[in-house]
Amino acid sequence: LRLVFEEGLESCYARHQLNHRALKAGLAALGIKYAAQEGHQLPMLNAVHIPEGIDDMTIRKALLDRFGIEIGGGLGAFKGKVWRIGLMGYGARKNNVLLVLSALEQLLAEQGMKFEHGSSVAAANAVYA
């Protein structure tokens, strides 16, 4: 609460919204869609569909082991179908958004997914510009 008070509630909210929009733009550039409908998405917890042909655990384990990034898997009916990418509190930062997008690009390419390399980071940076 002290950190929110120091930053200011409105600034904190704006930072979370900005980073959510940047992450969303980057994921869209990779063809990754959100699980929740527009208007029902949380900027702090981004639930996205796992691309077809991509193994959930392979990507999540590599993100953690190789990049130190932990994202959640789907729960219940969404197990193996969605990833939950948190942008909460201090973690809602530009460098974290760009890191997760870069790491995902590398790992998805290794899994054979086709997309324009660098497109996710470029899309996120366009939001930040």
Side-chain angles (χ1 to χ4, degrees), residues 16-39:
H16 280 81
Q17 287 293 332
L18 174 64
N19 288 294
H20 166 72
R21 288 194 320 270
L23 178 65
K24 188 173 182 177
L27 293 170
L30 298 175
I32 297 176
K33 300 184 184 321
Y34 274 67
Q37 295 176 5
E38 191 69 41

Side-chain angles (χ1 to χ4, degrees), residues 59 63 67 69 98-108:
I59 298 295
L63 281 170
F67 299 96
I69 299 169
L98 298 178
L99 176 61
V100 76
L101 291 171
S102 297
L104 273 175
E105 276 203 18
Q106 182 175 335
L107 297 173
L108 292 171

Side-chain angles (χ1 to χ4, degrees), residues 5-128:
F5 179 75
E6 288 173 2
E7 180 178 3
L9 188 57
E10 291 168 2
S11 294
C12 182
Y13 180 77
R15 177 172 50 83
H16 280 81
Q17 287 293 332
L18 174 64
N19 288 294
H20 166 72
R21 288 194 320 270
L23 178 65
K24 188 173 182 177
L27 293 170
L30 298 175
I32 297 176
K33 300 184 184 321
Y34 274 67
Q37 295 176 5
E38 191 69 41
H40 297 278
Q41 299 164 359
L42 298 173
M44 294 71 122
L45 185 58
N46 298 270
V48 299
H49 290 284
I50 298 169
E52 191 161 326
I54 300 300
D55 183 69
D56 171 31
M57 284 305 301
T58 299
I59 298 295
R60 289 195 297 126
K61 184 173 181 348
L63 281 170
L64 185 58
D65 292 346
R66 293 169 51 186
F67 299 96
I69 299 169
E70 185 171 12
I71 65 172
L75 303 171
F78 291 100
K79 185 175 183 173
K81 297 177 184 175
V82 300
W83 289 320
R84 295 173 298 131
I85 304 170
L87 289 175
M88 298 169 233
Y90 188 79
R93 303 274 179 221
K94 178 181 178 179
N95 61 318
N96 290 337
V97 170
L98 298 178
L99 176 61
V100 76
L101 291 171
S102 297
L104 273 175
E105 276 203 18
Q106 182 175 335
L107 297 173
L108 292 171
E110 289 173 9
Q111 291 277 310
M113 189 169 159
K114 304 293 184 209
F115 53 86
E116 184 179 333
H117 295 281
S119 62
S120 68
V121 171
N125 276 323
V127 171
Y128 289 124

